[in-house]
Amino acid sequence: MTAPDRFAPNPPNPRPAAPPRVPGARSSADPAAPPTTAQALSVRLFMAGLGAAELMTAYLGLRLGLYDALAEGGPATAPQLAERAGIAPRYAREWLEQQAAAGILTAQSGEVTPNEREFTLPAGHAEALTDPGSLFSIAPLVLLPIGGMASVLPLLIEAFRTGEGIAYERFGPELRGGQAGLNRSVFQHQLAGWIAATLPAVHAALGGEGGVVADVACGSGYSSIALAQAYPKARVHGLDLDERSVRDARENAREAGVADRVTFEVRDAGDRDLAGRYDLVCVFDALHDMARPVEVLRSCRALLAPGGSVLLMEPNVGERFTAPASETERFQYAVSLLHCLPVGMAEQPSAATGTVMRPGTVRAYASEAGFARVRVLPVRHTFHRLYQLL
């Protein structure tokens, strides 16, 4: 994916690096040291701390436009980057050196002064960090925890003690933007193909004249936009209770050129005058956040026109709890603890589902909502599983 670097990286250390030492940890080479997992856990959490710190430095690069400045303007010295991005030269130099040390940028080798050294953002890294439409876009995952989740940690500590939740809007715009960005490329590149391959009747209905979609909990609207682009004759109606998200969605639809066929409303899917209209009702990566998921599914069922389907996209987690878990499930649990569970508990009474909504839970909710059958669609994705409710 990456183009050849303009400058070769510094030559590797000819000797392998020693494992990181943690204060207080014993050397495994010490024959007197008893068998223990303390050192292993210390090293693991040190590496996690390093990753968290480097994630914060990437956050600075995104928020200050430093990656964009390198991607658009090419290699730069610290004074050049400072001028392009409007930041102080000394901070520019420290950030550039840190990013090169972390392997995100490459640095000019040879004997040059610190302010003369050029730094390059490789093409593949530029794609991942600056192209929101790329399948490998990672910027949202940087913004989500640092800009969104970290800001509510004091509230989360209190929520743990009281059992209350945290309202979605308290997480702020960077959580909203990061969450939308995480799934944007999935909707743009894969959603329509999944529907065509696994839901032929729905595909035919949306491809013909008069196909209508309800996108429940549409968020910033990227799923609605992707469906409208894939099915030029269809109309898509996005519904969400968050006014800021709907405002974002309308602007995104205008920018995508589909605002004539995609509408967004701050509205409850349970409104009776919406009933019986839709060939497809979608709930993408949102049911697990809802306080009353069964009621939402009942409303989705009422929205369907005869022969219509409900399509859910939910986390791809195991059928049952296992520990230790896969890296994917570890990620889902962390997101649940920091965001999805407290959001779901902000409204009471709450099902308090959390991100790790296993297939058995989906089936139980769907059955209680009146659906006869739940079909897991044959779609392979690391993070997502699709369900058709019949």
Side-chain angles (χ1 to χ4, degrees):
M1 295 293 297
T2 60
D5 297 331
R6 181 172 176 181
F7 299 104
N10 294 326
N13 190 325
R15 292 183 297 176
R21 292 299 306 274
V22 179
R26 305 182 189 190
S27 168
S28 59
D30 181 0
T36 178
T37 58
Q39 182 177 7
L41 181 60
S42 294
V43 170
R44 173 183 167 184
L45 293 183
F46 167 80
M47 297 305 295
L50 170 62
E54 290 184 341
L55 203 65
M56 294 181 198
T57 67
Y59 173 84
L60 291 174
L62 291 167
R63 292 286 283 113
L64 292 167
L66 307 183
Y67 295 122
D68 286 330
L70 289 168
E72 295 167 7
T77 63
Q80 288 169 342
L81 180 64
E83 184 176 356
R84 288 181 200 172
I87 63 172
R90 183 62 184 90
Y91 279 113
R93 174 184 148 195
E94 197 75 3
W95 183 83
L96 286 166
E97 291 180 358
Q98 179 276 325
Q99 292 285 288
I104 298 174
L105 304 181
T106 59
Q108 178 184 2
S109 59
E111 295 298 326
V112 293
T113 67
N115 282 336
E116 292 175 330
R117 180 173 288 113
E118 281 194 325
F119 295 83
T120 301
L121 178 62
H125 293 188
E127 178 186 343
L129 288 163
T130 66
D131 181 0
S134 169
L135 275 171
F136 306 105
S137 174
I138 198 63
L141 191 56
V142 177
L143 297 173
L144 192 73
I146 304 302
M149 297 173 183
S151 64
V152 302
L153 284 176
L155 299 177
L156 189 57
I157 290 171
E158 187 62 21
F160 264 64
R161 291 177 174 142
T162 64
E164 297 176 352
I166 302 174
Y168 178 79
E169 57 269 18
R170 298 298 295 273
F171 287 82
E174 291 191 338
L175 187 287
R176 192 167 68 248
Q179 192 173 37
L182 275 180
N183 292 330
R184 180 177 177 178
S185 64
V186 173
F187 297 141
Q188 182 177 341
H189 296 291
Q190 296 173 289
L191 179 58
W194 288 342
I195 292 173
T198 64
L199 300 173
V202 171
H203 176 69
L206 298 185
E209 296 289 345
V212 189
V213 179
D215 191 2
V216 175
C218 63
S220 297
Y222 289 119
S223 49
S224 305
I225 292 166
L227 288 167
Q229 290 172 331
Y231 297 101
K233 297 181 180 180
R235 290 175 291 120
V236 185
H237 189 191
L239 309 171
D240 203 289
L241 295 177
D242 184 63
E243 185 175 351
R244 296 176 184 85
S245 294
V246 168
R247 196 161 55 235
D248 291 345
R250 288 170 178 159
E251 180 60 30
N252 291 334
R254 280 193 290 270
E255 290 180 0
V258 295
D260 58 327
R261 294 184 295 110
V262 182
T263 58
F264 296 100
E265 288 189 79
V266 180
R267 197 166 185 181
D268 193 321
D271 286 356
R272 292 186 179 182
D273 58 344
L274 295 173
R277 293 189 186 184
Y278 300 97
D279 301 293
L280 178 66
V281 175
C282 306
V283 187
F284 292 127
D285 203 23
L287 190 69
H288 62 267
D289 289 335
M290 297 176 178
R292 295 189 293 277
V294 173
E295 289 185 22
V296 172
L297 290 180
R298 285 197 188 106
S299 296
C300 291
R301 183 166 165 259
L303 293 176
L304 291 174
S309 292
V310 170
L311 177 63
L312 301 182
M313 185 175 82
E314 285 296 328
N316 183 11
V317 295
E319 292 276 356
R320 59 188 61 83
F321 173 80
T322 58
S326 68
E327 290 182 346
T328 299
E329 194 147 321
R330 285 168 53 192
F331 173 77
Q332 305 287 15
Y333 262 119
V335 170
S336 185
L337 193 63
L338 296 170
H339 176 256
C340 296
L341 181 60
V343 165
M345 293 177 67
E347 186 180 345
Q348 295 292 335
S350 174
T353 306
T355 312
V356 189
M357 185 165 72
R358 304 193 187 280
T361 303
V362 175
R363 295 185 188 101
Y365 287 169
S367 176
E368 191 175 348
F371 289 93
R373 186 161 66 93
V374 174
R375 178 185 168 217
V376 178
L377 300 182
V379 166
R380 295 177 62 87
H381 193 276
T382 301
F383 292 104
H384 303 298
R385 180 182 282 121
L386 265 63
Y387 302 87
Q388 181 188 24
L389 276 54
L390 303 167

